[in-house]
Amino acid sequence: MTGDYLTRIGTLIRTARQHRGWSQAQLGEALGTSQSAVNRIEQGKQNVSLEMIARIGEALDSEIVSLGYSGPMHLRVAGGTRLSGAIDVRSSKNACVAILCASLLTTGRTTIRSVARIEEVYRILEVLTSIGVKSRWINEGRDLELTPPAELDLAAMDVEAARRTRSVLMFLGPLMHRAQHFAIPYAGGCDLGTRTVQPHLTALRRFGLEVATTGGAYHASVEPGAPMDRPIVLTERGDTVTENALLAAARHDGVSVIRNASPNYMVQDLCFFLEK
């Protein structure tokens, strides 16, 4: 080893020894060597074999040199210092996707601040623009402006983009207020195993949505929903199924009570948007 590496290793050994509360003599005794030998090692003035480094680490209960071992790491934290400052936080992809779908509930302009510019957001945007929604990035690309048309061109939906995101399921809630009959492709997205869409269909049926799953698409038809004289009980406490029920309830007459709803942050962000 070169002198520079020996010095750095020696410093690590000295720090670990002092942290253990040992003297050089105590470490030497544990290693079966002399105090002067330990001193030379810590000064970087003696070659050290990998075997010796391993023995020192075992004696001090401290991994001196990591060789890709995935076990626990030893950290020493000197606390008691007041911290201050500011950082820029990334915005929520899940909340943004829900609000993108919710923009279909209105024909007015929607502006979303601090949009997460990631793939799933782009996929939903591709679907929205394919059915006639105008989108425009503003404020140096940080914010997004959406303007749906008076009539959506659902027949022109970008099937490829829709199949690449499971979030397209959240089109069911708002589209039932925009069209009596429509279809969306089977939802795809991340590979997390088989996940049923039945909780969505069960919840939305109470609002008058009936769905037949044939030919690689969900074929939806809308009839006037029954009065909400009893709560809707979700069969799955999921974020997207809660959001779908919220999107359907937002333009449904009367008061809707949703039981077993997810309280996660993205659901709350959607609620804030719907309130506005």
Side-chain angles (χ1 to χ4, degrees):
M1 295 184 182
T2 66
D4 182 55
Y5 283 119
L6 289 174
T7 300
R8 290 164 61 185
I9 291 173
T11 300
L12 289 172
I13 293 171
R14 182 174 64 253
T15 300
R17 175 181 60 78
Q18 292 172 343
H19 180 63
R20 181 75 185 267
W22 279 9
S23 66
Q24 289 181 340
Q26 287 174 302
L27 178 56
E29 182 178 356
L31 297 173
T33 188
S34 64
Q35 181 269 337
S36 59
V38 172
N39 182 62
R40 289 194 301 272
I41 291 172
E42 292 185 356
Q43 294 292 325
K45 296 179 179 179
Q46 179 168 316
N47 281 323
V48 188
S49 67
L50 289 176
E51 180 185 359
M52 177 58 77
I53 292 175
R55 289 176 57 198
I56 294 172
E58 184 176 351
L60 297 175
D61 191 26
S62 177
E63 190 176 17
I64 305 301
V65 177
S66 175
L67 300 177
Y69 175 62
S70 60
M73 300 296 290
H74 300 278
L75 303 175
R76 183 170 66 173
V77 178
T81 302
R82 183 178 295 277
L83 304 177
S84 64
I87 61 171
D88 292 328
V89 296
R90 303 292 294 273
S91 57
S92 162
K93 175 267 292 185
N94 292 328
C96 179
V97 166
I99 293 172
L100 286 172
C101 297
S103 69
L104 291 170
L105 290 171
T106 175
T107 56
R109 184 175 60 196
T110 297
T111 302
I112 309 175
R113 306 292 186 193
S114 300
V115 174
R117 301 195 65 161
I118 62 174
E119 287 302 310
E120 189 164 5
V121 170
Y122 291 144
R123 295 295 80 76
I124 291 294
L125 268 179
E126 289 171 1
V127 179
L128 287 171
T129 55
S130 71
I131 61 177
V133 177
K134 293 182 179 179
S135 64
R136 185 168 69 98
W137 292 98
I138 58 177
N139 297 332
E140 298 180 347
R142 294 188 300 271
D143 306 333
L144 182 63
E145 188 178 272
L146 299 169
T147 307
E151 295 291 334
L152 297 169
D153 187 3
L154 297 178
M157 182 177 293
D158 187 334
V159 173
E160 184 63 28
R163 284 179 175 162
R164 292 172 62 190
T165 170
R166 184 172 172 81
S167 298
V168 75
L169 277 174
M170 284 191 290
F171 276 40
L172 290 172
L175 286 183
M176 65 178 294
H177 298 294
R178 299 293 300 266
Q180 190 172 2
H181 301 280
F182 62 91
I184 62 174
Y186 283 170
C190 54
D191 185 12
L192 294 178
T194 301
R195 291 179 291 174
T196 178
V197 300
Q198 194 59 47
H200 294 258
L201 307 186
T202 301
L204 296 178
R205 188 175 295 120
R206 290 285 304 279
F207 296 100
L209 184 73
E210 292 293 337
V211 177
T213 55
T214 59
Y218 306 106
H219 297 272
S221 59
V222 184
E223 298 293 339
M228 292 300 170
D229 53 355
R230 67 185 193 280
I232 297 171
V233 181
L234 302 182
T235 59
E236 175 186 281
R237 196 182 196 187
D239 299 324
T240 56
V241 66
T242 302
E243 289 163 338
N244 237 342
L246 286 166
L247 293 167
R251 289 184 59 177
H252 190 274
D253 291 338
V255 176
S256 303
V257 178
I258 304 170
R259 302 291 191 197
N260 198 34
S262 167
N264 279 349
Y265 67 90
M266 68 284 287
V267 178
Q268 295 187 43
D269 277 351
L270 176 61
C271 290
F272 299 148
F273 173 81
L274 294 176
E275 287 175 348
K276 286 182 176 294

